[in-house]
Amino acid sequence: MFLDRKSLWPHLRRWEEQAADHDGPFRLRFGTLFVADADTARRVLVDPAGAYLSQSGFFRLGQRTLPEAVRTEASRELRGVLARHDLPSSFDPASALGEAGDGRGRLRHQRWGVELVRRYFAPAIAHRRHAEINALVDAYVTSSVVPDDIVGHVLRRPHRTVPAVRAGLAEHLGRLPPPEGAAQDLVDLVLRLPGGLSRGDRAQVLQRLVLSTVGFTGVALEWVVLLGVRYGYGTPEVRRDDIHRLVREVLRLYPTAWRLLRVAAADHDLAGVRVHQGEHVLIGTHAMHRSPAVWDGPLDFRPSRWEQPTDDQRRSYLPFGKGAGMCPAGGFAVRALEHLGHVLLRGHSGHVLLRNRTPHVRTLLAPPAGWTRLTPTTPPEC
């Protein structure tokens, strides 16, 4: 859908304006049904009537979603893997910033957040015993997640990185025995998946989990730091409660998962609109989060609105989706953003330079091109 365009941002803004003029679902000019209200979106995502095909962006092979029982168990194991690691205490922000920078102290947007979050989640992705797998994960992040899902170069410059990395991962996964006991990292998790999956299948699931864990969180971190610097949060006195509201407002105004897509399993009516089997229904998270019917000053960056959000605002806030297909690690992503945001903004003063003013939208909704410079400060004693 429009993926041959440099950026989808103008389309998102137009769809937001169209949604403000409609009381319910409406069709975009290419025929896809667009949903931008909380009640209809939740009906589609939770899907109590089974009107939509089972879907997951995290546990699938190509367009085929893994069986629900497998996804449920994998989601439980994923949360367990993340809970077993004390990621904040094992993370060295100074070293990570140095490696994510460009050698001149600048953190280039649409790249640095992903690289830093990759290091943050490294213990949970592939333990140090998986040296070759870690190298392949790094190659996947730098040569595919960034240029393909964030920048979108793949359509102009085809490459063979993804299948090459997948083949390498498959080879190394094939040498490892299934783990005994609980999974300790994502490598263990994919090795434990039931269902007679091939090594290539398990490698593909591992790639998708890396994209979901690192890509989405990394882009959101760039927004948190960029907007935190611009709105005065880069100070040693900033509190965790301040960062909590900052993160929530970032995910409202710039949800990296800017749309959720579902496919109708049968003909049915949705909020007065007839939906036919096989039809795509697009839930515009960005439009829901910017609806003037729900949010006062919807385009204003206002973290204070999260001090006392209304019931309508809570229902309309879906940065990680809802139902069986929602992000299984959403809670951990928020905690990572709050921890990293607090560490980086509390311990550094910042300066932001933007080459333009509009976000860049591909698979993910990323900050405008430019860079952020963070200079260490001395935080007060706790």
Side-chain angles (χ1 to χ4, degrees), residues 358-371:
T358 58
H360 184 78
V361 186
R362 301 295 299 178
T363 302
L364 307 180
L365 195 166
W371 51 262

Side-chain angles (χ1 to χ4, degrees), residues 173-248:
L173 290 174
R175 298 174 184 172
L176 297 174
E180 297 181 1
Q184 299 300 313
D185 54 25
L186 298 189
V187 172
D188 286 350
L189 189 155
V190 299
L191 287 173
R192 288 168 57 90
L193 289 175
L197 299 178
S198 70
R199 293 180 299 176
D201 291 341
R202 297 177 194 277
Q204 184 179 162
V205 174
L206 180 59
Q207 284 180 306
R208 293 209 60 80
L209 287 173
V210 169
L211 168 62
S212 303
T213 304
V214 172
F216 287 77
T217 312
V219 168
L221 179 64
E222 290 189 10
W223 280 116
V224 168
V225 173
L226 185 160
L227 293 170
V229 168
R230 297 191 69 183
Y231 286 90
Y233 287 79
T235 168
E237 287 75 31
V238 68
R239 300 174 302 168
R240 291 187 181 273
D241 286 348
D242 299 328
I243 301 299
H244 173 74
R245 291 188 287 270
L246 170 67
V247 169
R248 289 183 69 86

